[in-house]
Amino acid sequence: METIGYATYAPPEYFMTGKLTLRHVIYSFGVVLLELIAGRKAIQENLPFLEQTRPLLVSKKFTEIADTVLGGRYPEHGLAQALTVAEMCMREDATKRPPIAQIVTLLSDILSEAEGEAWDKKEAS
């Protein structure tokens, strides 16, 4: 638990208490969600601090976070929503992190909206 790699996924309060709770799992999920969207680790030692994924999230530079493999082919609104969910999960104050049921609902809504947009584009062609 005390490795540098784990520190990426551990919430700030873990280092003060040494105890894991469901709120810690929510934080870790937010980090993993961020990494999935970015297509890279949240902390990369070879990049300057301001080019790391987390500072880009805080500064709302969402299009700079998205995985470049996607080539810009994603709904920007859906990207912003998914990154907002990740940000909610990684809130410093553990009591302000959403419960897992809310996270599932938010991600399901984002997916439904994206599927609806894809369907609309097919019908328009």
Side-chain angles (χ1 to χ4, degrees):
M1 291 282 193
E2 296 181 17
T3 65
I4 293 173
Y6 181 76
T8 302
Y9 303 95
E13 68 273 10
Y14 171 75
F15 298 102
M16 290 183 272
T17 65
K19 296 179 182 176
L20 293 174
T21 68
L22 184 56
R23 300 277 181 187
H24 297 131
V25 175
I26 299 297
Y27 182 93
S28 298
F29 175 79
V31 174
V32 171
L33 179 59
L34 179 60
E35 290 179 340
L36 287 171
I37 294 167
R40 60 182 176 170
K41 292 183 181 269
I43 302 293
Q44 290 183 292
E45 294 178 16
N46 62 329
L47 290 177
F49 176 75
L50 293 177
E51 292 178 27
Q52 300 287 335
T53 307
R54 183 75 190 266
L56 291 172
L57 179 65
V58 171
S59 64
K60 306 285 187 203
K61 295 182 179 179
F62 293 158
T63 56
E64 292 181 35
I65 295 173
D67 191 339
T68 56
V69 172
L70 298 172
R73 294 182 312 270
Y74 52 82
E76 285 189 30
H77 182 68
L79 171 69
Q81 289 177 311
L83 287 169
T84 298
V85 172
E87 187 176 38
M88 291 167 60
C89 293
M90 294 187 299
R91 288 180 175 151
E92 297 257 344
D93 183 348
T95 63
K96 293 186 178 177
R97 294 181 198 138
I100 194 66
Q102 182 181 359
I103 295 167
V104 170
T105 299
L106 291 169
L107 292 175
S108 295
D109 290 348
I110 294 167
L111 180 59
S112 294
E113 186 177 316
E115 288 173 341
E117 288 175 13
W119 183 255
D120 291 344
K121 286 180 184 177
K122 284 182 184 178
E123 288 183 339
S125 352

